[in-house]
Amino acid sequence: MKRNTWQREAVRTALGSNEGFVSAQSLHSTLRDTGSPIGLATVYRALADLAVEGEADSLQSLEGESLYRACTPGQHHHHLICRNCGLTVEIEADAVELWAQSVASEHGFTQPNHVVDVFGLCAECTAQVRPGR
Amino acid sequence: MKRNTWQREAVRTALGSNEGFVSAQSLHSTLRDTGSPIGLATVYRALADLAVEGEADSLQSLEGESLYRACTPGQHHHHLICRNCGLTVEIEADAVELWAQSVASEHGFTQPNHVVDVFGLCAECTAQVRPGR
DNA sequence: ACAGTAATGAGATTCGTTATCAATAATACA
DNA sequence: TGTATTATTGATAACGAATCTCATTACTGT
């Protein structure tokens, strides 16, 4: 049976108080910095669990590490992510869902999944990068 | 200056004679199996180069490793990938391009990139998985 | 042919993640 | 409330993908 531990709750909270996607490693050091003696393996396990339960989204960063972010559970959505500061906006895209479905069945594919994420520079980071040039 | 070596050519050829996405590791062992004494590091370097030059597409597998595939250079496209056998179909999606653009600018994001891939079971694998059930 | 130097490759190294396993602590039940 | 059960934890080892090192090799222009 599943048990409630302060460790899981700590991970859930830390994840929730974050604007964008975070790696397990950085979440772990954040927790350690706030005095929590939580172990690294536990953070990995908690994040994997949250992702399975639908309380967190995960994606692969371009460097190959897994990033996590709290999300509103239950509803399918995609992300608009600032590649500079990590700020993330959840976006819905019914049109894209339908497109994925139809493209798959057009080619005889079944059980379609899809990975749809948009990366860019958020307004703030855009302003910082080119202040007056 | 850039030089032509049989190693680069071997990687290009091996990649081209493959239906779907392959990892650097498996491409390396394939080459080794055919008698080529090419080194692993070289395969990694050649694949990275091909990806930069636009002769290969790359994506992150769900397990976090980078997969590569030969592609028609120059044109932007996405992929429909069989998650069982790796068969890949290149798909164009102007509608999705435009959607990504507009969604980004709606939220003040600039320089939008996007990751759009559809995974599924190809017709053949669908038939194999559930033969008559 | 030859010099200059990009490319190679075996092995060491880095880094993210998972497995191990004894110790701990959350839950069910008497 | 006390106790037995067993899921969970965490320090560390192990693993695997990818990169780096650096001496050696071999393209290329002259």
Side-chain angles (χ1 to χ4, degrees):
Chain A
M1 88 151 358
K2 194 160 163 265
R3 294 178 181 176
N4 286 330
T5 63
W6 64 264
Q7 286 94 335
R8 279 209 208 294
E9 201 52 45
V11 169
R12 201 197 311 267
T13 307
L15 198 64
S17 64
N18 207 302
E19 273 295 319
F21 280 84
V22 225
S23 70
Q25 307 260 6
S26 75
L27 198 66
H28 176 243
S29 49
T30 301
L31 285 165
R32 278 329 242 304
D33 290 347
T34 64
S36 172
I38 194 171
L40 177 59
T42 304
V43 174
Y44 273 101
R45 282 187 286 241
L47 287 173
D49 285 354
L50 289 173
V52 167
E53 293 160 16
E55 292 194 60
D57 285 319
S58 68
L59 61 80
Q60 304 284 330
S61 82
L62 300 176
E63 296 84 41
E65 55 180 351
S66 293
L67 302 182
Y68 296 88
R69 179 168 183 275
C71 77
T72 29
Q75 70 178 358
H76 180 74
H77 53 250
H78 299 286
H79 297 101
L80 175 57
I81 305 155
C82 177
R83 75 169 72 92
N84 184 244
C85 71
L87 173 72
T88 302
V89 181
E90 293 192 357
I91 52 186
E92 289 181 41
D94 297 339
V96 175
E97 311 296 327
L98 295 174
W99 168 81
Q101 274 279 351
S102 67
V103 141
S105 58
E106 263 174 39
H107 291 85
F109 279 60
T110 60
Q111 304 175 34
N113 258 355
H114 53 267
V115 179
V116 173
D117 288 302
V118 182
F119 294 85
L121 281 184
C122 72
E124 199 170 329
C125 289
T126 302
Q128 285 180 11
V129 170
R130 41 176 64 233
R133 197 183 307 168
Chain B
M1 86 147 2
K2 195 160 161 264
R3 295 179 180 177
N4 286 331
T5 63
W6 64 264
Q7 287 95 332
R8 280 213 206 290
E9 201 51 46
V11 169
R12 201 196 310 267
T13 308
L15 198 65
S17 64
N18 207 303
E19 274 294 318
F21 280 84
V22 225
S23 69
Q25 306 262 2
S26 77
L27 199 66
H28 176 242
S29 49
T30 301
L31 284 165
R32 278 331 241 305
D33 290 348
T34 64
S36 173
I38 194 172
L40 177 60
T42 304
V43 174
Y44 273 101
R45 282 187 284 240
L47 287 173
D49 285 354
L50 288 173
V52 167
E53 293 160 16
E55 290 195 59
D57 285 320
S58 67
L59 60 80
Q60 303 285 328
S61 82
L62 301 175
E63 297 83 41
E65 56 179 350
S66 293
L67 303 182
Y68 296 88
R69 178 168 183 275
C71 78
T72 29
Q75 69 179 358
H76 179 73
H77 53 249
H78 299 287
H79 297 102
L80 175 57
I81 304 154
C82 177
R83 74 170 72 92
N84 185 243
C85 71
L87 173 73
T88 301
V89 181
E90 294 191 357
I91 52 186
E92 289 181 40
D94 297 339
V96 175
E97 310 298 327
L98 294 175
W99 167 82
Q101 273 279 352
S102 66
V103 141
S105 57
E106 263 173 40
H107 292 84
F109 279 60
T110 60
Q111 305 176 30
N113 258 357
H114 54 267
V115 179
V116 173
D117 289 301
V118 182
F119 294 85
L121 282 183
C122 72
E124 199 170 329
C125 289
T126 303
Q128 285 180 11
V129 170
R130 42 177 64 230
R133 198 182 304 167

